[in-house]
Amino acid sequence: MAEGAILGYLQNNDEIANSEKFAADFGFSHDEIVNAIRSLHGFRFIDAQDIRRERWVLTEEGKTYAAGGSPEFQLFSAVPLEGIAREELQKKLDPAVYKIGCQQAIKNKWVEMAKTHVSRKVQHADDKVKDLLLRIQNGEAVNQEDIDALKRRKLIIQQVWKGNSVRKGPKYAPERKRAATDLTRENLQRGDWKELEFKEYNFSAKGQPVEGGHLHPLLKVRRQVQTIFLNMGFEEMPTNNYVESSFWNFDALFQPQQHPARDSHDTFFLKVPSSTKMLPEDYVERVKEIHESGGYQSRGYGYDWKREEANKNLLRTHTTAVSSRMLYALAQKPFTPKKYYSIDRVFRNEAVDRTHLAEFHQIEGLICDRGLTLGDLIGVLHDFFSRLGMSKLRFKPAYNPYTEPSMEIFSYHEGFKKWVEVGNSGMFRPEMLLPMGLPEDVRVIAWGLSLERPTMILYGIDNIRDLFGPKVDLSLIKRNPLCRLGL
């Protein structure tokens, strides 16, 4: 409506001299006309020039004095020719008028204020303040000295009026046709796309600012641990397969098929594909033999080993499944000592609480060489964990199906002031290594720990769900500090 009024008026007139007067003449609010002018000016339908006008207007206090007189004149008028007691005068006036009137009347030398009596010093006084306020209210000129005096008393404030004068622009038209921003299916069906005017694409417009990515605390700690392994001469194992067969996850590690960890309450088994058909048959037979009847001075487990159980697919419960594959591949070649490590996700069917998740990250390291002993394992663990900043270590005997001897690793936590378990370790059993085809004098030492626990300790997080999973606060990812291990 406002745009049409402006364009229609300019069709027969050269200029709109004052946007405020135009708004009043055509029944629009001034804000509505100004918004329309800005829009039309942006599309060059009109050329608009800013008009700025400053004027002084009365404050609410100033309006009161313009109507009833200034406080000093009201006080002077209330003092009779013979004078008046101060208490009586105070009763006749409003407290604010009395307070301000006393100050200004004494300043003007209109009255004399004794301790108990007030008397006039002049017989007649002019209310100059009221006269000035009325002149300003009527739009009359007032000299700067009087303006400054009224401004100091906060009786007037400056009001800035902004408006526009308007002329036709280079793209003027009596009616503004809205430019289309998209070519739609309906435009094509109706055929009106031929008459459409499309909005020009602004290649200089700035888009939404793109915020850079942020590293998760787990990634920072992972990188630091990875650097430690690389500095110690380890090479990374491929851990890109989350789905593993029960054979590589359990059987190849000399873990019996009736072990509680292989129950569905502890392991995620796949429905599709439910089983694998890609296993090395000769090795499978050797693993079956060692489980059922033993060998290499072992009695085995003495049960009927089932191939269909070994074929079951699952989400790997530990990255040691990858270690078994790597050691088997190593055994198929002339033996060469190796140092392997891995850091990746594993999955266990556990109840989720503040310290457990159904998926987490496992750090694993292993060394394969001739004649290794438990002393070598302890020495490597001291070297590895000291680089993590854990120099005080203790070891406790433990049981694992695929390591013997086995040790739980404890470190003294300076913050908690107690020993806390930080990992597990051991030497792989001959029942695991020899069926692979590794030489009899080859030993493998290995250890593992979670990535989440040291990260929680480093960053002061006491609930694992605040570190990993759908409930993580994104602000934590954006503001988490650098990771520095071993400092």
Side-chain angles (χ1 to χ4, degrees):
M1 295 287 290
E3 286 187 2
I6 294 169
L7 295 174
Y9 184 86
L10 291 176
Q11 187 175 8
N12 301 315
N13 298 274
D14 294 332
E15 182 185 26
I16 297 174
N18 187 308
S19 56
E20 186 176 41
K21 184 177 183 305
F22 180 84
D25 292 344
F26 286 84
F28 295 100
S29 71
H30 188 231
D31 287 342
E32 191 176 1
I33 290 295
V34 167
N35 290 336
I37 288 173
R38 288 175 181 169
S39 178
L40 292 170
H41 179 73
F43 288 94
R44 306 304 309 278
F45 278 81
I46 61 173
D47 285 332
Q49 298 295 325
D50 291 334
I51 302 174
R52 178 186 174 93
R53 188 165 64 232
E54 297 176 355
R55 63 174 181 171
W56 293 98
V57 295
L58 307 189
T59 63
E60 291 301 318
E61 185 180 3
K63 291 176 183 177
T64 302
Y65 299 161
S70 66
E72 57 266 36
F73 187 80
Q74 291 184 52
L75 184 137
F76 177 80
S77 300
V79 177
L81 294 175
E82 65 276 12
I84 188 173
R86 291 189 67 160
E87 288 185 3
E88 290 296 322
L89 179 62
Q90 195 168 357
K91 291 178 182 178
K92 293 174 68 175
L93 298 172
D94 181 88
V97 171
Y98 177 80
K99 181 180 179 181
I100 299 172
C102 286
Q103 296 172 353
Q104 296 297 328
I106 293 172
K107 182 180 178 181
N108 293 342
K109 298 180 180 181
W110 288 354
V111 297
E112 184 176 353
M113 305 284 290
K115 190 171 184 180
T116 60
H117 191 77
V118 181
S119 59
R120 291 188 178 187
K121 294 183 72 174
V122 296
Q123 298 302 313
H124 176 75
D126 293 326
D127 194 353
K128 183 180 178 182
V129 171
K130 179 179 178 180
D131 293 340
L132 290 172
L133 292 173
L134 290 173
R135 289 174 60 188
I136 290 173
Q137 197 171 45
N138 295 329
E140 299 175 20
V142 177
N143 66 53
Q144 189 61 44
E145 184 179 347
D146 292 329
I147 289 289
D148 292 340
L150 294 174
K151 187 169 65 171
R152 282 195 298 270
R153 293 182 64 174
K154 298 182 179 178
L155 301 181
I156 59 173
I157 57 173
Q158 192 174 54
Q159 186 182 73
V160 179
W161 175 89
K162 294 180 180 179
N164 300 99
S165 64
V166 179
R167 288 181 174 273
K168 294 178 182 178
K171 294 186 178 180
Y172 171 79
E175 182 181 353
R176 177 180 176 183
K177 187 180 289 186
R178 296 281 178 179
T181 56
D182 293 299
L183 180 63
T184 66
R185 179 186 178 194
E186 289 73 19
N187 296 143
L188 296 172
Q189 288 177 335
R190 291 193 301 263
D192 58 5
W193 59 272
K194 298 176 183 178
E195 286 78 31
L196 287 178
E197 291 184 11
F198 289 94
K199 183 178 179 181
E200 293 182 4
Y201 195 90
N202 185 2
F203 290 97
S204 301
K206 293 182 179 179
Q208 193 74 12
V210 179
E211 188 174 5
H214 303 273
L215 289 178
H216 193 283
L218 281 173
L219 292 177
K220 294 184 178 182
V221 178
R222 173 181 177 150
R223 182 57 184 165
Q224 291 288 310
V225 174
Q226 186 180 44
T227 302
I228 290 171
F229 274 118
L230 294 174
N231 289 339
M232 292 176 67
F234 284 71
E235 59 181 282
E236 188 171 9
M237 294 186 282
T239 56
N240 53 320
N241 290 335
Y242 291 166
V243 175
E244 194 55 271
S245 68
S246 293
F247 177 80
W248 292 109
N249 197 83
F250 294 123
D251 296 273
L253 299 176
F254 196 58
Q255 190 160 320
Q257 292 185 340
Q258 67 270 25
H259 194 280
R262 300 177 72 152
D263 190 86
S264 61
H265 293 292
D266 297 297
T267 302
F268 292 108
F269 288 94
L270 268 65
K271 287 186 177 180
V272 180
S274 60
S275 61
T276 184
K277 299 178 181 178
M278 299 174 62
L279 295 175
E281 295 300 329
D282 56 339
Y283 178 45
V284 170
E285 287 300 318
R286 293 195 295 272
V287 170
K288 175 183 177 182
E289 180 68 22
I290 198 72
H291 276 251
E292 291 183 341
S293 308
Y296 316 108
Q297 300 180 2
S298 171
R299 292 182 298 176
Y301 292 115
Y303 70 97
D304 292 331
W305 186 85
K306 297 178 181 179
R307 174 65 180 269
E308 57 271 20
E309 190 69 29
N311 286 346
K312 288 182 179 179
N313 284 332
L314 49 81
L315 293 178
R316 66 184 180 210
T317 62
H318 48 192
T319 53
T320 317
V322 182
S323 301
S324 64
R325 283 182 177 272
M326 295 298 292
L327 291 172
Y328 173 74
L330 188 64
Q332 309 314 303
K333 307 171 186 176
F335 178 73
T336 304
K338 287 289 183 180
K339 292 180 178 180
Y340 290 126
Y341 82 93
S342 64
I343 309 171
D344 214 330
R345 290 192 193 187
V346 296
F347 307 86
R348 295 182 187 175
N349 194 2
E350 296 191 58
V352 175
D353 56 32
R354 65 187 307 106
T355 58
H356 295 85
L357 289 177
E359 58 177 305
F360 57 95
H361 294 77
Q362 181 178 331
I363 302 169
E364 183 168 349
L366 67 89
I367 300 176
C368 179
D369 204 350
R370 300 181 187 273
L372 293 175
T373 65
L374 190 64
D376 293 306
L377 174 59
I378 293 173
V380 171
L381 291 177
H382 274 288
D383 184 14
F384 175 78
F385 281 97
S386 67
R387 296 172 188 247
L388 288 175
M390 304 176 190
S391 55
K392 297 180 182 179
L393 295 183
R394 283 181 179 174
F395 305 99
K396 176 184 175 182
Y399 167 76
N400 292 316
Y402 45 89
T403 59
E404 180 60 36
S406 306
M407 300 184 303
E408 290 176 346
I409 310 165
F410 290 81
S411 173
Y412 187 76
H413 194 288
E414 297 293 343
F416 297 156
K417 301 299 180 184
K418 65 178 183 179
W419 293 89
V420 295
E421 184 181 352
V422 293
N424 209 329
S425 65
M427 301 184 68
F428 283 152
R429 298 175 66 102
E431 295 96 324
M432 172 187 165
L433 300 177
L434 295 177
M436 292 179 174
L438 289 168
E440 291 188 9
D441 61 342
V442 168
R443 303 288 185 267
V444 178
I445 57 176
W447 67 98
L449 62 152
S450 76
L451 179 63
E452 282 75 8
R453 178 169 292 184
T455 304
M456 290 172 66
I457 293 173
L458 282 167
Y459 285 90
I461 299 170
D462 63 355
N463 192 329
I464 194 170
R465 289 169 290 192
D466 294 333
L467 176 68
F468 187 60
K471 296 185 178 181
V472 172
D473 182 6
L474 289 179
S475 63
L476 166 72
I477 311 303
K478 295 179 180 180
R479 296 198 300 266
N480 69 88
L482 294 173
C483 169
R484 285 292 182 267
L485 297 177
L487 298 180

